Amino acid sequence: MIIYDTKQRKKVSFTPEKDNTVRMYTCGPTIYNFAHIGNLRTFVFEDLLRRTIKFLGMKVHHVMNLTDIDDKTIKGATQKGISLDEFTKVFEKAFFDDLDTLKCEKAEEYPKATEFIKEMIAMIEKLIEKDVAYLTESKDVFFRIKSFKRYGELSHLKLDELEDGKSARVDSDEYDKESACDFVLWKAYDPKRDGEIYWDSPFGKGRPGWHIECSCMSMHFLGDTFDLHTGGVDNIFPHHENERAQSESCSGKPFTRHWMHAEHLLVEGKKMSKSLNNFYTLRDLLDKGYSGREVRALFLSSQYRVQLNFTLDGLLAIRKMLQRLDSFVDRLNESKGSKVLDLLAFEEEFTKALEDDLNTPKSFAALFDMVRFVNAQMDEDEIDASGVIELLKKFDKVFGFIFEREKQEIAEEILKAAKARFMARQEKDYTKADAMRELIERAGYIVEDTKEKCVVRRKESYAND
């Protein structure tokens, strides 16, 4: 498998370090609100990566954190006058519902920051002992960036540029720290800001910073050095750069062997923003009549390192693509011949594309090259479709959308009309057949004729075609 390593800025050969098992950490959501489609594109990329690892014969131990301690979660809980757990569990459930809707496989571990406070405190104490972190008069603890000589290697930023203020993304915590670039490991308790939410520690009341949470949880489950750390490009700096600095300073070992990051999602060519009225959650799209299957397929249609320009027209194009796939599967299910097709070239092309840094556009091309080839064969003769269906199932272990049709309840009278149309066509009574089609379409359905039946679908699934 070939992946693009963010730190090395090039494609590299990737294999797990031991036991043929990829130990992978992904930065999960901050559970203070519903995830937007930019977040979800990254999570679908990570699901694709997970599925591809298994498709290529490796195992995976996947850890994704849930950030339930954060300025936003604490603000939300205190404003509502409820506990942090009561506030975050609503959005935790919503997140898992979104993953289910998008057909994302579950990670092996979903640790929450609130479950690892003791371990975070112990890690901070160790960093203080090593003199790479320090306690301020205000009882905040900061990591001393100058102590980590390799700071900036991941994000390819230079420390002197950060100190001069040339980077727009310096951590902006306002505390009495030694350097403007130092980042917080422990935030002292502020009753006005934090309400009743705090933890006791040797440094005083307070809570951990965001960066230390991920370091602690990833190393707890995967060890001091693991195979792969992923996230969105917005995580590279400062979050992942800070994770790397504090983790390696603590353990004295490389934090992770490789880094992979998904590019931003744009909406209609612009950065997603509520002020531009182009901000979407998955629920917004479902309310508009689109499906999780369609959203997943759209996310996968673009290679993860390329900015995806999300449009509703793009979703409609994906809808038509999936309809072609559905019709193809229906046709396969009706083919009762014995002619066996050689599909090895398509399987090899599909696999080769995934091995090359998850090149999903090329894997899509391999899939539809096969569809065209098989359709042409079925135009000439009945085939043994079992091998084609098995290959589609193999492809779908990665894609997760080929066989995931939305269930549609069809009215009984429409099913009777479809059956009557089929019989009329068999008897060459085309006047009656046309009348049945008209009845079906007036009721809001689409009818497709096959050799063995008439298939009907709700017209909503073809909305705006």
Side-chain angles (χ1 to χ4, degrees):
M1 186 177 179
I2 303 297
I3 64 170
Y4 184 88
D5 185 297
T6 305
K7 181 172 176 286
Q8 298 183 59
R9 281 188 170 179
K10 65 180 181 180
K11 288 184 178 182
V12 297
S13 178
F14 173 78
T15 54
E17 188 173 37
K18 58 185 178 181
D19 302 327
N20 199 38
T21 301
V22 177
R23 292 169 298 143
M24 178 171 77
Y25 184 82
T26 67
C27 282
T30 300
I31 43 179
Y32 77 101
N33 208 333
F34 299 113
H36 60 65
I37 58 174
N39 303 140
L40 294 173
R41 191 229 178 162
T42 297
F43 297 133
V44 170
F45 143 66
E46 290 158 347
D47 179 66
L48 169 71
L49 176 59
R50 172 191 172 86
R51 287 170 176 258
T52 299
I53 287 168
K54 297 196 297 181
F55 179 81
L56 297 177
M58 295 172 276
K59 300 175 184 178
V60 63
H61 185 186
H62 181 191
V63 179
M64 178 188 288
N65 74 295
L66 301 175
T67 299
D68 58 350
I69 305 173
D70 173 84
D71 290 341
K72 294 173 182 176
T73 61
I74 291 176
K75 181 179 180 181
T78 54
Q79 285 182 341
K80 288 184 176 291
I82 58 178
S83 70
L84 194 61
D85 181 64
E86 285 179 288
F87 177 77
T88 58
K89 69 181 180 182
V90 174
F91 300 109
E92 178 183 349
K93 181 182 182 304
F95 173 67
F96 285 118
D97 288 345
D98 286 350
L99 293 189
D100 287 342
T101 301
L102 293 170
K103 305 302 176 186
C104 291
E105 293 184 349
K106 292 294 188 292
E108 280 64 41
E109 315 282 355
Y110 285 104
K112 293 194 284 190
T114 49
E115 300 168 344
F116 286 86
I117 301 296
K118 289 183 179 179
E119 290 84 350
M120 293 174 199
I121 290 172
M123 188 172 179
I124 294 170
E125 287 183 304
K126 189 172 183 180
L127 291 170
I128 292 174
E129 289 172 8
K130 291 192 169 194
D131 199 31
V132 296
Y134 57 93
L135 179 65
T136 67
E137 291 184 5
S138 57
K139 303 301 181 182
D140 303 301
V141 180
F142 285 92
F143 182 87
R144 186 178 284 114
I145 281 185
K146 285 186 177 180
S147 68
F148 189 69
K149 302 303 181 184
R150 300 185 304 281
Y151 193 87
E153 286 182 352
L154 173 62
S155 54
H156 304 282
L157 296 171
K158 295 181 179 179
L159 186 57
D160 57 351
E161 292 178 351
L162 299 179
E163 290 174 333
D164 291 341
K166 294 178 181 178
S167 170
R169 299 198 61 191
V170 173
D171 197 326
S172 59
D173 291 309
E174 295 296 335
Y175 302 97
D176 52 333
K177 48 188 177 180
E178 294 176 359
S179 167
C181 292
D182 291 350
F183 60 87
V184 69
L185 301 173
W186 185 264
K187 291 188 176 184
Y189 172 62
D190 180 341
K192 291 183 179 180
R193 180 192 65 199
D194 301 331
E196 299 300 318
I197 300 173
Y198 64 86
W199 286 263
D200 291 316
S201 80
F203 333 113
K205 292 180 179 179
R207 59 183 169 95
W210 177 35
H211 312 304
I212 199 72
E213 295 176 6
C214 281
S215 285
C216 185
M217 289 183 281
S218 60
M219 295 168 75
H220 175 86
F221 286 100
L222 301 174
D224 291 341
T225 303
F226 49 94
D227 293 301
L228 193 53
H229 197 314
T230 67
V233 292
D234 53 312
N235 289 144
I236 297 173
F237 183 85
H239 184 46
H240 287 170
E241 193 71 74
N242 291 351
E243 270 190 73
R244 176 174 171 265
Q246 65 198 8
S247 300
E248 296 187 5
S249 295
C250 185
S251 70
K253 301 174 184 176
F255 180 39
T256 184
R257 296 172 60 231
H258 299 284
W259 297 85
M260 294 178 73
H261 293 91
E263 256 293 353
H264 288 296
L265 177 145
L266 303 177
V267 177
E268 301 287 353
K270 298 179 181 178
K271 185 176 179 181
M272 188 164 53
S273 167
K274 289 182 179 179
S275 64
L276 295 176
N277 199 31
N278 67 350
F279 185 94
Y280 294 111
T281 66
L282 182 58
R283 284 159 177 74
D284 294 330
L285 298 177
L286 298 179
D287 288 344
K288 289 179 178 291
Y290 300 101
S291 68
R293 182 193 188 200
E294 291 164 345
V295 175
R296 178 182 177 88
L298 178 61
F299 287 165
L300 294 182
S301 67
S302 176
Q303 207 265 355
Y304 78 94
R305 285 196 297 115
V306 176
Q307 282 191 344
L308 172 62
N309 185 28
F310 178 92
T311 67
L312 296 182
D313 285 343
L315 268 181
L316 291 176
I318 289 294
R319 175 172 291 174
K320 292 178 181 178
M321 179 197 82
L322 293 174
Q323 289 164 358
R324 291 197 299 274
L325 271 180
D326 292 345
S327 296
F328 177 64
V329 172
D330 288 340
R331 194 176 184 192
L332 290 174
N333 288 330
E334 291 156 11
S335 184
K336 306 301 181 184
S338 58
K339 182 179 179 181
V340 177
L341 303 179
D342 182 2
L343 305 174
L344 181 60
F346 301 109
E347 182 175 359
E348 289 178 344
E349 197 63 26
F350 181 87
T351 304
K352 182 180 178 181
L354 291 174
E355 287 174 335
D356 183 13
D357 197 31
L358 309 179
N359 193 328
T360 46
K362 285 190 175 180
S363 61
F364 271 50
L367 168 62
F368 283 97
D369 283 348
M370 186 196 74
V371 170
R372 283 187 287 272
F373 170 76
V374 175
N375 269 328
Q377 295 295 310
M378 289 193 289
D379 288 342
E380 297 177 2
D381 198 1
E382 294 282 342
I383 68 165
D384 178 355
S386 60
V388 186
I389 292 173
E390 285 306 307
L391 186 55
L392 283 176
K393 289 180 179 177
K394 191 171 183 179
F395 289 175
D396 210 35
K397 288 181 180 179
V398 175
F399 281 163
F401 59 69
I402 296 175
F403 291 100
E404 294 293 339
R405 299 193 196 187
E406 290 73 37
K407 293 181 180 179
Q408 298 182 354
E409 297 295 331
I410 307 297
E412 183 64 29
E413 60 269 24
I414 299 302
L415 295 176
K416 289 180 179 178
K419 186 175 181 179
R421 172 176 168 78
F422 177 77
M423 296 302 296
R425 284 171 55 82
Q426 293 291 97
E427 297 167 1
K428 300 189 185 304
D429 185 351
Y430 297 115
T431 300
K432 182 177 180 180
D434 288 345
M436 292 299 100
R437 171 185 282 278
E438 187 177 345
L439 185 155
I440 292 167
E441 291 181 346
R442 278 204 313 268
Y445 295 85
I446 296 291
V447 60
E448 297 176 356
D449 300 308
T450 71
K451 291 181 179 180
E452 296 187 353
K453 59 184 175 181
C454 290
V455 178
V456 292
R457 295 191 179 95
R458 288 199 305 268
K459 194 173 289 186
E460 294 92 75
S461 68
Y462 287 69
N464 301 319
D465 284 3

